[in-house]
Amino acid sequence: MALDLDDSLLNDKLLISDRTVEVIKKAAAQGIYIAICSGRSPSAILPFVRRLDVAGTEQGRYAVASNGSVVVDLHLRQEIYSAKVSGDVLVEAMKAADKVGLPCQVYSSSMVYANVDNEYTRMDSKLTGVPSEIVPDFENFLAAGFAKMMIPGDPKILVGLQNELAARFEGRAVALISKPYFLEILPVNCGKGEALEFLCGRLAIDMKKVMAFGDSMNDETMIVKCGLSVGMSNGLEEIQKAAAYVTRRTNDQDGIADFVEQFVLN
């Protein structure tokens, strides 16, 4: 069972309800593997891993971070799979963002790095609890490559920039809008769905038996690749159409818990 965080597992207060925790724990007790699959960095996922209280079991051992660019073994406390966008692509993306007046940021497992101080980076750091740092020579800093770059800003500007970068980076990186105000630059063939394929290969689990919950375009690959995909009723129409099922309730109404209670536990 693969669980997206924002607007899926988390309610509108960015919390996991008591009901949802109990339902997920019951599913894990039945032998179902539970994996949070988020665009957030590994450190930003950990509080929610602890909240679900299944990480100490074999069923709660794994998590997918950075939109599929990283898979973490929580027992070993190490990445068992990772991919990066090359430094030259990231520099191109930074310069394109700068031309339209937008900042950009990249992530390590425990830090957010930005090229300029801006409201989005401060907000990101506050919401995720991950500290941020402004890097003066950001261009050289990007040379090592990173799992994900975020370009935040006005949705009207981001749509045009996304179209430009998607065409420019074809075969080298993926440019997608995860939320209306977040444009993300990611490695090719490294979405949440591909990360789950890696993890299922490791665990000898058929992807047809994976139930994935998601709401946004960064969930698209796992919604398409997982046999029991579930779109959130509060999610994008494209995701609902691509999914095998749609929740009856929203993320703010314990939509995942409601679905799992009705169609998994029963």
Side-chain angles (χ1 to χ4, degrees):
M1 189 177 294
L3 307 170
D4 171 55
L5 277 180
D6 294 284
D7 297 316
S8 296
L9 190 65
L10 303 186
N11 60 28
D12 291 347
K13 295 181 180 179
L14 302 181
L15 300 172
I16 305 174
S17 72
D18 291 342
R19 177 191 179 193
T20 297
V21 170
E22 290 308 309
V23 168
I24 296 303
K25 288 173 70 174
K26 287 179 181 178
Q30 290 188 2
I32 298 172
Y33 279 86
I34 307 297
I36 286 178
C37 295
S38 176
R40 299 188 185 213
S41 66
S43 291
I45 289 175
L46 286 179
F48 304 108
V49 168
R50 297 188 187 103
R51 170 68 172 142
L52 287 181
D53 195 26
V54 295
T57 69
E58 182 64 25
Q59 283 67 40
R61 180 170 183 167
Y62 302 100
V64 174
S66 301
N67 280 330
S69 298
V70 176
V71 179
V72 180
D73 184 323
L74 299 166
H75 290 190
L76 298 178
R77 298 185 181 183
Q78 67 182 31
E79 297 176 4
I80 56 173
Y81 171 87
S82 64
K84 292 182 178 181
V85 181
S86 66
D88 59 327
V89 168
L90 295 177
V91 170
E92 283 186 58
M94 179 195 72
K95 290 180 177 179
D98 187 60
K99 284 183 179 180
V100 291
L102 297 180
C104 56
Q105 56 197 52
V106 293
Y107 304 78
S108 70
S109 61
S110 58
M111 185 72 74
V112 182
Y113 301 97
N115 59 339
V116 294
D117 182 36
N118 66 90
E119 61 176 313
Y120 291 102
T121 299
R122 292 194 298 271
M123 184 188 307
D124 192 0
S125 183
K126 181 179 179 180
L127 290 177
T128 62
V130 177
S132 62
E133 179 180 330
I134 307 303
V135 180
D137 191 358
F138 204 60
E139 183 171 335
N140 283 334
F141 181 73
L142 294 175
F146 287 86
K148 180 177 82 168
M149 172 180 277
M150 179 88 78
I151 302 173
D154 185 334
K156 295 178 182 178
I157 299 175
L158 289 183
V159 170
L161 184 59
Q162 188 262 340
N163 290 334
E164 174 191 338
L165 295 182
R168 185 191 300 186
F169 295 154
E170 184 175 2
R172 295 191 292 158
V174 173
L176 63 82
I177 293 176
S178 56
K179 302 294 181 186
Y181 37 83
F182 289 152
L183 169 59
E184 304 191 21
I185 310 300
L186 301 163
V188 291
N189 300 319
C190 289
K192 293 181 182 182
E194 288 82 358
L196 288 171
E197 285 179 326
F198 165 81
L199 192 52
C200 285
R202 186 182 181 96
L203 299 173
I205 294 174
D206 190 330
M207 285 287 284
K208 293 179 181 178
K209 297 181 179 180
V210 179
M211 180 174 285
F213 291 87
D215 70 289
S216 296
M217 294 312 295
N218 61 332
D219 301 314
E220 184 181 25
T221 58
M222 72 174 181
I223 291 295
V224 170
K225 290 177 178 290
C226 295
L228 301 171
S229 58
V230 187
M232 299 300 298
S233 60
N234 55 282
L236 296 177
E237 184 178 352
E238 297 96 315
I239 295 299
Q240 294 184 27
K241 286 182 177 179
Y245 309 97
V246 176
T247 62
R248 300 180 300 181
R249 302 185 185 282
T250 69
N251 67 306
D252 212 32
Q253 300 168 323
D254 295 332
I256 289 179
D258 175 76
F259 191 94
V260 174
E261 279 183 333
Q262 184 69 26
F263 301 108
V264 179
L265 300 184
N266 293 331

